[in-house]
């Protein structure tokens, strides 16, 4: 479809598609190379300093104190966790992404969601482009001629499912004001295990989304 539009001189959609691909690549490098929110040793950690606490801190038992990390020896803010792959404590730690080779934390988590969204649009559009180039015929010559296009469509389909599931799961956790680490390890985290509420940071979907993105 894009090739036919280019031949007719209709360059708007091909240019938008190329710009979206370039944007997804730039976002990938931006998210993978930026500081996800490393806790620096020289920082003074004060109660209520880290993002995501706000007015809900009184709901957490007062006997839970900020602890010193046993690996990098910094005083951890609440919701921070040490990543043994990055060798740093990360504020509002979500997870270490092997595709990015970087942690997803307080600083790059919103941009990570933007990256997934752009990537999903690119994959859906790329799948449509690949499908538009397929003309099915029951012949060996047709299969040999279109084998790479078929493999490309299959890979696009698989990655689309993966990115869609990642995006939906992250948006759900963001709407609850929780992280992947807190969701998976709720029973091991002191400030959640001893809290009166299952999720003391939840302030309602609208406010959770507003505080995360804005």
């Amino acid at each position: 479809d894009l090739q036919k539009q280019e031949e007719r001189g209709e360059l708007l959609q091909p240019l938008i598609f190329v710009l979206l691909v370039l944007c997804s690549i730039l976002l990938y490098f931006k998210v993978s190379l930026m500081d996800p929110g490393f806790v620096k040793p020289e920082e003074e950690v004060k109660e209520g300093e880290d993002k995501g606490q706000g007015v809900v801190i009184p709901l957490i038992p007062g006997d839970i104190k900020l602890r010193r990390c046993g690996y990098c020896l910094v005083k951890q803010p609440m919701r921070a966790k040490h990543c043994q792959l990055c060798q740093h404590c990360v504020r509002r730690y979500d997870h270490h992404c092997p595709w990015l080779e970087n942690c997803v934390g307080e600083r790059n988590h919103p941009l990570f969601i933007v990256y997934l969204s752009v990537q999903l649009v690119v994959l859906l559009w790329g799948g449509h482009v690949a499908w538009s180039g397929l003309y099915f015929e029951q012949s060996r010559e047709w299969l040999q001629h279109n084998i790479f296009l078929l493999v490309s469509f299959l890979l696009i389909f698989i990655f689309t499912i993966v990115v869609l599931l990642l995006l939906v799961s992250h948006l759900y956790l963001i709407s609850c004001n929780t992280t992947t680490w807190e969701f998976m390890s709720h029973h091991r985290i002191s400030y959640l295990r001893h809290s009166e509420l299952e999720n003391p940071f939840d302030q309602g979907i609208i406010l959770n989304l507003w505080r995360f993105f804005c």
Side-chain angles (χ1 to χ4, degrees):
D1 285 353
L2 293 180
Q3 185 178 1
K4 291 177 181 178
Q5 291 174 0
E6 185 182 359
E7 291 171 353
R8 293 196 302 265
E10 302 172 0
L11 300 178
L12 181 60
Q13 288 193 32
L15 284 175
I16 292 175
F17 180 74
V18 171
L19 288 175
L20 277 174
V21 173
L22 291 175
C23 181
S24 70
I25 294 172
L26 290 175
L27 281 169
Y28 171 82
F29 284 109
K30 176 66 175 177
V31 177
S32 63
L33 296 175
M34 73 180 296
D35 178 359
F38 294 136
V39 181
K40 297 177 174 58
E42 64 272 13
E43 290 179 353
E44 288 292 331
V45 182
K46 299 178 182 178
E47 185 177 357
E49 179 187 7
D50 60 313
K51 187 180 179 180
Q53 296 184 39
V55 295
V56 297
I57 283 302
L59 299 176
I60 299 173
D63 58 344
I64 297 177
K65 303 180 185 296
L66 299 181
R67 68 184 189 90
R68 194 167 294 279
C69 176
Y71 295 96
C72 54
L73 302 179
V74 298
K75 203 170 184 181
Q76 285 184 336
M78 192 171 291
R79 310 190 79 178
K81 181 183 181 295
H82 183 86
C83 175
Q84 296 192 26
L85 295 174
C86 292
Q87 295 297 311
H88 284 286
C89 286
V90 180
R91 293 178 178 273
R92 201 180 182 278
Y93 175 87
D94 188 86
H95 70 287
H96 182 92
C97 181
W99 296 95
L100 299 172
E101 196 55 43
N102 192 16
C103 284
V104 176
E106 183 179 85
R107 292 190 62 187
N108 65 349
H109 200 171
L111 206 58
F112 178 72
I113 300 300
V114 175
Y115 165 68
L116 288 179
S117 303
V118 173
Q119 192 65 55
L120 182 60
V121 173
V122 170
L123 285 167
L124 289 172
W125 198 345
H128 171 73
V129 171
W131 184 260
S132 69
L134 286 173
Y135 299 95
F136 293 99
E137 296 178 7
Q138 293 184 353
S139 66
R140 185 175 178 180
E141 290 76 14
W142 178 89
L143 182 61
Q144 291 177 344
H145 183 70
N146 290 275
I147 185 65
F148 289 110
L149 192 57
L150 287 169
V151 172
S152 298
F153 182 78
L154 179 62
L155 288 174
I156 288 173
F157 176 77
I158 293 172
F159 281 118
T160 299
I161 298 299
V162 172
V163 172
L164 179 62
L165 291 175
L166 267 174
L167 182 60
V168 170
S169 63
H170 274 276
L171 288 175
Y172 168 74
L173 293 175
I174 291 166
S175 69
C176 300
N177 197 359
T178 189
T179 64
T180 303
W181 173 58
E182 290 171 341
F183 181 78
M184 299 294 291
S185 305
H186 187 279
H187 61 287
R188 295 191 298 150
I189 302 173
S190 58
Y191 60 81
L192 295 179
R193 188 173 69 248
H194 298 126
S195 174
E196 297 177 359
L197 300 177
E198 184 177 355
N199 180 13
F201 303 107
D202 187 6
Q203 300 179 40
I205 295 177
I206 296 177
L207 189 55
N208 290 339
L209 293 173
W210 174 263
R211 295 192 67 174
F212 182 84
F213 288 106
C214 307

